[in-house]
Amino acid sequence: MSLRWPFLLLLLSVPALAQDGVAVRVRCPEKCTVVLDGKHGRRVMDSTWEFDGIAPGTRRVETTGMLGRPLASGFADIPDVAEAEVFIASNKRIVVERGSTSPPGTPAWAEGKGARPREKVGAGEKSVAIVRCPEDCTVLLDGRRGLGRDGRTWEFKDVEPGRRRVEANAALLNRRLFVGYVDMPAGARATFYGDSKGNLRLTEDRSLEAAGQARSGGESHLNVRCQKPCTVSLDGARRGASNATSVVIRDVEAGAHDLEVVFTVGKSRRRTALDVSAGSELFITASEGDGFQVTNTKPLARAP
């Protein structure tokens, strides 16, 4: 009997040891190194670190910036969830955000209970995701490659709604540009933009029906003329050559868009929101003093 009990105790302890714990992601406002409760994690990008198997509860967070400079240190209350985000704010405050997935060990019948409202669309129809980069790139969504619309834009069809992982690497030297998770709505055509600082955000969200109606009316062209050499960006993606005075942007979908120019001399920046009608051609002038002026709008001529 004395030999059986230690073996039985070992079997009973296995499920407790097999718990995966919480997947914690720590983001800094600048390039950093992070230690969570004395544990070294995995660098995702210069300002983001991931830690697997963290036990819920109060955990110590220590971050250092460039050249080992102390950045922030303190305690984070890690909730009992599958994933949690920890943000180091610019004022060195440590902020914890609960993950959108259920706690480890949640039974199937309880999945979704208590979820945030935006998660209730998870059982809906599939969607289309558009991901744009600040430079030429390759994008993976949940590990799969999409259709390259141009060097900086990738399209993914038949995307399941819910939490999806997006990662992008630059075409030049295969540098990591950004990696993160997005909440994909159901039955939507959603556009995401990853900026030069590694932030990934939703810039447009339309139902597939509305997007289809807009496309049926025809895509539009923008003719942008700068009074001085400039670089033009649409929805965060550079269009045309830098240091140009005239840029033509073709095949622009109808709807709201962000147009921005940065003048070469002085680096002054001008930005405006455009509401583009389907099948139209817009002529836009940009100047440092007056910003943007739409000088003419006409129906886009179609080839016979």
Side-chain angles (χ1 to χ4, degrees), residues 24-34 41-51 63-64 66 71 85-87 133-135 165-170 174-181 193-201:
V24 179
R25 172 170 291 199
V26 182
R27 300 178 187 269
C28 303
E30 60 183 69
K31 182 176 181 179
C32 66
T33 299
V34 180
R42 178 176 66 258
R43 183 192 291 273
V44 178
M45 56 198 315
D46 284 348
S47 60
T48 306
W49 291 74
E50 286 183 346
F51 299 82
T63 63
T64 53
M66 298 287 289
L71 185 60
E85 300 268 359
V86 177
F87 299 90
C133 303
E135 59 183 274
R165 188 177 192 274
V166 180
E167 57 181 305
N169 291 321
N174 198 35
R175 305 179 338 270
R176 173 62 57 82
L177 292 177
F178 55 83
V179 60
Y181 291 87
Y193 175 65
D195 61 27
S196 58
K197 296 182 179 180
N199 301 310
L200 183 61
R201 59 187 174 89

Side-chain angles (χ1 to χ4, degrees), residues 43-254:
R43 183 192 291 273
V44 178
M45 56 198 315
D46 284 348
S47 60
T48 306
W49 291 74
E50 286 183 346
F51 299 82
D52 296 324
I54 299 299
T58 302
R59 299 287 168 253
R60 182 168 181 80
V61 181
E62 299 175 82
T63 63
T64 53
M66 298 287 289
L67 303 177
R69 173 178 52 85
L71 185 60
S73 63
F75 292 90
D77 292 324
I78 305 300
D80 186 13
V81 294
E83 299 173 356
E85 300 268 359
V86 177
F87 299 90
I88 309 300
S90 56
N91 60 0
K92 299 186 179 181
R93 187 166 62 96
I94 299 174
V95 182
V96 179
E97 180 180 336
R98 294 175 64 91
S100 61
T101 54
S102 303
T106 300
W109 58 264
E111 290 285 353
K113 290 189 176 183
R116 291 174 291 180
R118 65 179 179 181
E119 298 298 327
K120 294 181 180 179
V121 300
E125 61 180 300
K126 294 182 180 180
S127 302
V128 174
I130 307 294
V131 182
R132 294 190 173 117
C133 303
E135 59 183 274
D136 289 352
C137 65
T138 300
V139 177
L140 298 178
L141 190 149
D142 280 350
R144 71 181 178 96
R145 193 164 178 167
L147 174 66
R149 295 178 55 183
D150 56 50
R152 303 181 180 201
T153 307
W154 291 79
E155 179 176 342
F156 300 84
K157 297 181 179 180
D158 298 326
V159 179
E160 294 284 351
R163 195 168 175 83
R164 307 268 73 87
R165 188 177 192 274
V166 180
E167 57 181 305
N169 291 321
L172 181 62
L173 302 179
N174 198 35
R175 305 179 338 270
R176 173 62 57 82
L177 292 177
F178 55 83
V179 60
Y181 291 87
V182 297
D183 292 319
M184 191 69 194
R189 181 182 178 86
T191 300
F192 301 91
Y193 175 65
D195 61 27
S196 58
K197 296 182 179 180
N199 301 310
L200 183 61
R201 59 187 174 89
L202 176 68
T203 59
E204 187 177 20
D205 176 8
R206 289 191 290 172
S207 69
L208 287 175
E209 181 180 0
Q213 291 174 351
R215 289 197 301 274
S216 66
E219 294 179 323
S220 301
H221 292 180
L222 303 181
N223 295 272
V224 182
R225 185 177 67 87
C226 295
Q227 293 185 346
K228 297 180 180 179
C230 69
T231 299
V232 178
S233 298
L234 184 69
D235 296 330
R238 195 191 77 185
R239 298 300 186 94
S242 59
N243 196 30
T245 56
S246 181
V247 173
V248 178
I249 307 174
R250 304 182 187 279
D251 301 328
V252 178
E253 295 180 3

